[in-house]
Amino acid sequence: MPNENPLDRLLVLEMVRVTEAAAIAASTLTGRGDEKAADAAAVEAMREALNSLAMDGTVVIGEGERDEAPMLFIGEKVGSAQGTGPKIDIALDPLEGTTICAKAGPNSLAVLAISEAGGLLNAPDVYMDKLAVGPGYPDGVIDLDRSPAENVRAVAAAKGVSPAEIITCVLDRPRHEALIAELRALGCGIMLIPDGDVAGVIATTNPDTTVDLYMGSGGAPEGVLAAAALRCVGGQFKGRLLFRNDDERARAAKWGVTDLDRQYDLTDLAKGDCIFAATGVTDGSLLAGVKRKGKIMTTESVVMRASSGTVRWVKGEHRIG
């Protein structure tokens, strides 16, 4: 059928199986202090699961460029139906929060987003200034051209509360000292997280987390993954690429980025129909981590779809041995 959506031919639950496989593999190395081993295990498991699916998939955001990553590199083809199956773009982070996993900290996830071909921005592996808010606010309530304090005041006004009642999630990094100082001078609450900014952005969509805003810089690829999640459940996201040197600017040009100062909106990063899936590796604000009970491993996942606005919470039991 000419109007068939390629994603209709991929069951949403297949995406959960992919993130479950990566999370289970990484969980065997939780708390072992070896980031690279945990990441490698997740990558290998995710790649194997993706290659079992009947699709013509292309990794647009992966573990790095081909010369940096042996598997799931940017441009890698995955799926068992190359040339014949639906053409799918894939953004992935088999282990978001490698340090968290190695230290058995909170909010480590296996994360994946897919779209029709051309739906996800080929973001270069540089930093991105990010600003996110959950659903229910008027369009334009946040803007990277405003100061952090101005954005907090705007969200507080839209919510009908004082700025002191707003909670902003920020990565705990030395580069954010000025941002944190400005927010504290305003009197709003700050939830500092050690890592895992995809989970931090998604936290704005869940009232149970009490997080209203996400601010600060982090990886651009993770920004695209977070934007895909917000596309599915509502919310607003602003992003601007940050370049530290000429090498990073050249990397951006390689991926077709010509306006280095552009403020990206949600649909610039993830457009059309898309599916987002995540499985918890360690316990966190969004998902419970992988647990082993005898010969059974349990997982908790979430999968979202933009076209339907559906959010499914999936608990799995996996028999091992």
Side-chain angles (χ1 to χ4, degrees):
M1 293 177 65
N3 295 323
E4 182 181 4
N5 182 338
L7 299 195
D8 288 340
R9 293 160 64 184
L10 285 176
L11 294 175
V12 169
L13 282 179
E14 293 291 357
M15 295 303 104
V16 174
R17 293 188 182 104
V18 173
T19 55
E20 283 177 342
I24 288 170
S27 74
T28 62
L29 291 155
T30 296
R32 303 303 193 272
D34 193 335
E35 298 177 22
K36 290 184 178 179
D39 189 53
V43 170
E44 187 173 350
M46 182 172 278
R47 185 173 188 250
E48 183 178 343
L50 285 169
N51 279 328
S52 72
L53 300 179
M55 65 177 179
D56 182 351
T58 302
V59 176
V60 297
I61 287 179
E63 289 290 282
E65 297 182 30
R66 185 169 191 161
D67 59 348
E68 301 169 351
M71 292 189 297
L72 293 178
F73 54 83
I74 298 169
E76 181 173 348
K77 304 292 287 186
V78 293
S80 62
Q82 293 298 315
T84 58
K87 292 187 179 298
I88 301 295
D89 278 358
I90 305 164
L92 51 85
D93 194 342
L95 183 57
E96 208 247 338
T98 53
T99 303
I100 292 172
C101 179
K103 295 180 177 179
N107 279 325
S108 185
L109 303 169
V111 183
L112 173 74
I114 67 171
S115 75
E116 301 167 58
L120 299 173
L121 179 74
N122 287 68
D125 190 11
V126 299
Y127 278 114
M128 175 185 280
D129 193 13
K130 305 172 190 177
L131 180 59
V133 70
Y137 292 96
D139 288 344
V141 70
I142 56 173
D143 192 322
L144 281 173
D145 290 331
R146 300 185 197 133
S147 70
E150 287 172 329
N151 280 303
V152 169
R153 289 190 188 100
V155 169
K159 192 176 180 180
V161 300
S162 73
E165 295 181 63
I166 296 296
I167 295 179
T168 302
C169 183
V170 179
L171 268 178
D172 191 3
R173 295 288 186 276
R175 65 178 181 269
H176 290 147
E177 284 180 4
L179 167 62
I180 292 167
E182 182 174 346
L183 294 175
R184 288 204 166 131
L186 188 64
C188 75
I190 304 174
M191 179 182 289
L192 291 173
I193 56 174
D195 233 322
D197 63 347
V198 173
V201 171
I202 297 172
T204 66
T205 70
N206 184 353
D208 290 343
T209 68
T210 71
V211 172
D212 299 289
L213 277 160
Y214 181 91
M215 288 185 183
S217 61
E222 289 85 352
V224 175
L225 281 162
L230 290 188
R231 278 276 292 111
C232 296
V233 295
Q236 297 174 51
F237 185 96
K238 305 290 183 181
R240 179 177 284 130
L241 299 177
L242 301 173
F243 303 98
R244 294 172 293 182
N245 50 51
D246 289 340
D247 178 61
E248 291 189 349
R249 294 181 187 90
R251 190 181 301 171
K254 178 181 176 180
W255 297 111
V257 177
T258 55
D259 183 356
L260 301 185
D261 296 318
R262 178 177 178 181
Q263 181 173 183
Y264 291 90
D265 209 339
L266 192 61
T267 51
D268 297 322
L269 301 173
K271 62 186 177 183
D273 194 10
C274 57
I275 293 171
F276 174 89
T279 300
V281 178
T282 60
D283 288 343
S285 58
L286 182 68
L287 295 164
V290 179
K291 304 286 192 304
R292 180 166 181 166
K293 302 172 184 176
K295 292 190 175 182
I296 294 178
M297 297 188 88
T298 61
T299 56
E300 187 171 283
S301 306
V302 62
V303 59
M304 315 170 181
R305 185 166 184 183
S307 63
S308 61
T310 306
V311 178
R312 289 182 173 88
W313 300 90
V314 182
K315 292 190 176 182
E317 289 190 356
H318 312 264
R319 297 190 180 274
I320 55 176

